[in-house]
Amino acid sequence: MTDPWATFGADLHIDPNGATGLRTGLMDALREAARTGRLAPGTRLPSSRSLAADLGIARNTVADAYAELVAEGWLTARQGSGTRVAQRAEPRRAAATTPRSRPPRTRPAYSLMPGSPDLSTFPRAEWLKAARRALTEAPNEAFGYGDPRGRVELRTVLADYLSRARGVYADPERIVICSGFVHGLRTMGKVLRQRRVREVAVESYGLDVHTRLLAEAGLRIPCLPLDELGCRTAELSGMPGAGALLMTPAHQFPTGVPLHPDRRSAAVDWARSTGGLILEDDYDGEFRYDRQPVDPTPREPGTSPVRYWKGQVGALQGLDPERVVYLGTASKSLAPGLRLGWMVLPESLVAEVAETKGYSDSCGALDQLTLAEFIRSGAYDRHVRARRLGYRRRRDELVAALAERAPRIGVTGLAAGLHVVLRLPPGVDEHAVIQAANWLGLAVQGVGAFRHPDARAEGWAGLVVGYGTPTDSAWAGTLEALLQALSAVVDA
């Protein structure tokens, strides 16, 4: 029996079999391939000898089919150029229909969406240098499946970096490399379920993708309220079913407040007394612009929260490495597209997490080795320092512009990270400002988009402004669009 198909360079399958004979069947198959665009104009066909061998038919059958299709204009044949598909009009395709009431979606000219750094500042030259050195020095076994915890070279340099930069107790044997925070949280969700945890408490404002991941793992997600001192961790005592707590203690997302020391202690005390775990999301710990010490003076009525608590704090994990799972990534410091993250685990969890993670959905060994070299060489520290200055400059320009042109807008939260929360005056509709920004080609999000479904509305409206997102060249235009949107609604 002959093989019923042949594979061309573009993985095109030809079935010459038909009721009217092999030659006619081959011609019909080639016409259809050219008509539908499967064989693009100009595509060179195999020689008659090669195609005949592939199909298991006589060479003369293929040669006759080619000759007839040349005569019909479907193919061209020139000495030295072989047989090719003729240039023909593009096949007409049915136009996609859209409801008349739905305008075409266009990409906004400007974006202040939180969660992303300025991608144009990725250190390409230094990264390439690190990649070349990492590839040159990589041991042969690095190209195998390896350890599910990740490359030891990266775990070693991360342990040193996290210890000096974030106050994390990070032995290399306690670190598991993952492909970002979502991967780490998904893995931890599975581990918690295996440990018969049923509830993970979360902050009343945060990313819904994180709560969805926990819910998909079969976990309930009650929320803890927030105020100007951060998450109200004392209320954990009223959640007897909670076996873990997910939080952003150094710089709460999105409100921007750091967790007060008393509440940090309360969270750790809860974990110790109940055997619970704290999942610490240190998403932008590298970017701190406020070095003032803790002010223990009670807040006076009417005082802005940012004036009361400006504490420069390290990671919560340092208070109790056996009760806190520290999760960090290179997404904000370098770029989310690298898909590089890490978990620093209690000793009792390392084997279980590594087994649960396995070899799936993990970042490549060469990327891990490159980041290890990038950190070891000092390039990572230099890049972070440079970006810290750049983002602080943008934040300062934003605050100054608001004070001059929109003085009724309040700026809340710690001077840190890649975003700021703008508090709108009473009576100003959050959605109206977002709509005005959209009309000006500016993408921005409101605080309400991050509220937990069970959380009580705080009675105020605001915008979460990701000033780290625009490129340097787009920053001035983006800031102007924001100011115009605010003026159009707030001053109306």
Side-chain angles (χ1 to χ4, degrees), residues 286-347:
E286 293 88 351
F287 299 113
R288 293 292 183 271
Y289 320 126
D290 190 339
R291 299 295 181 183
Q292 297 187 32
V294 176
D295 180 2
T297 307
R299 182 170 65 91
E300 299 177 2
T303 303
S304 170
V306 77
R307 294 182 181 175
Y308 168 51
W309 167 236
K310 296 183 178 181
Q312 165 64 20
V313 293
L316 181 70
Q317 189 263 7
L319 294 180
D320 194 335
E322 298 306 322
R323 300 258 53 97
V324 180
V325 175
Y326 177 91
L327 296 107
T329 77
S331 296
K332 305 297 185 292
S333 57
L334 287 168
L338 292 178
R339 310 310 305 143
L340 287 166
W342 42 88
M343 295 180 278
V344 184
L345 301 160
E347 187 174 4

Side-chain angles (χ1 to χ4, degrees), residues 356-367:
T356 301
K357 171 181 174 283
Y359 298 99
S360 63
D361 193 24
S362 187
C363 48
L366 289 179
D367 290 333

Side-chain angles (χ1 to χ4, degrees), residues 45 90 172 174 211 226 235 294 317 324-325 348 401 423 433 462 484:
L45 301 182
E90 287 290 329
R174 290 173 173 251
T211 54
L226 293 165
E235 298 189 21
V294 176
Q317 189 263 7
V324 180
V325 175
S348 60
R423 191 160 182 163
V433 179
Q484 288 184 21

Side-chain angles (χ1 to χ4, degrees), residues 1-310:
M1 173 181 275
T2 61
D3 192 341
W5 55 269
T7 304
F8 287 67
D11 196 23
L12 177 67
H13 302 289
I14 295 294
D15 182 1
N17 295 318
T20 55
L22 285 175
R23 182 173 63 83
T24 302
L26 177 58
M27 291 171 58
D28 289 342
L30 289 170
R31 286 193 198 96
E32 183 65 15
R35 180 184 297 113
T36 60
R38 291 175 63 215
L39 277 176
T43 300
R44 183 168 181 169
L45 301 182
S47 67
S48 57
R49 183 189 301 276
S50 298
L51 184 55
D54 289 340
L55 296 175
I57 60 179
R59 179 185 178 187
N60 287 343
T61 301
V62 178
D64 290 344
Y66 277 3
E68 285 204 39
L69 291 173
V70 168
E72 293 177 6
W74 289 99
L75 305 178
T76 62
R78 292 186 177 87
Q79 187 69 28
S81 182
T83 303
R84 297 177 181 271
V85 178
Q87 299 291 334
R88 299 177 62 85
E90 287 290 329
R92 180 170 297 182
R93 296 178 174 86
T97 58
T98 57
R100 293 185 180 180
S101 60
R102 182 182 301 171
R105 296 175 64 88
T106 58
R107 187 175 181 178
Y110 308 107
S111 176
L112 286 171
M113 300 293 281
S116 175
D118 178 355
L119 300 178
S120 70
T121 64
F122 183 80
R124 297 170 189 249
E126 290 289 343
W127 186 262
L128 180 59
K129 186 187 300 183
R132 285 173 172 164
R133 181 157 187 164
L135 182 60
T136 300
E137 298 181 357
N140 292 335
E141 51 89 14
F143 300 96
Y145 289 105
D147 189 333
R149 294 176 299 172
R151 293 298 306 176
V152 66
E153 296 90 340
L154 178 55
R155 292 188 282 118
T156 300
V157 297
L158 275 175
D160 174 70
Y161 172 78
L162 294 173
S163 176
R164 63 180 169 81
R166 299 299 299 132
V168 172
Y169 177 76
D171 185 276
E173 297 302 309
R174 290 173 173 251
I175 297 177
V176 171
I177 305 301
C178 52
S179 60
F181 180 84
V182 166
H183 182 203
L185 184 60
R186 181 182 290 117
T187 302
M188 285 305 307
K190 295 177 181 178
V191 170
L192 290 171
R193 282 292 293 169
Q194 291 167 7
R195 292 187 161 219
R196 300 186 182 279
V197 171
R198 294 293 178 264
E199 291 186 1
V200 176
V202 298
E203 296 164 316
S204 58
Y205 285 77
L207 287 171
D208 61 352
V209 64
H210 296 166
T211 54
R212 283 203 307 270
L213 282 175
L214 295 173
E216 289 170 1
L219 297 159
R220 292 187 293 272
I221 46 171
C223 66
L224 287 168
L226 293 165
D227 58 25
E228 65 270 18
L229 302 184
C231 183
R232 285 154 57 174
T233 52
E235 298 189 21
L236 283 165
S237 60
M239 295 181 173
L245 166 64
L246 171 64
M247 65 189 316
T248 50
H251 188 218
Q252 202 284 322
F253 186 87
T255 64
V257 297
L259 188 63
H260 191 276
D262 291 345
R263 296 186 178 182
R264 291 162 68 91
S265 298
V268 173
D269 289 344
W270 165 82
R272 288 170 177 166
S273 63
T274 63
L277 285 172
I278 299 172
L279 310 182
E280 179 179 12
D281 179 4
D282 194 34
Y283 64 99
D284 64 358
E286 293 88 351
F287 299 113
R288 293 292 183 271
Y289 320 126
D290 190 339
R291 299 295 181 183
Q292 297 187 32
V294 176
D295 180 2
T297 307
R299 182 170 65 91
E300 299 177 2
T303 303
S304 170
V306 77
R307 294 182 181 175
Y308 168 51
W309 167 236
K310 296 183 178 181

Side-chain angles (χ1 to χ4, degrees), residues 434-442:
I434 295 173
Q435 186 176 37
N438 291 340
W439 278 107
L440 293 168
L442 171 65

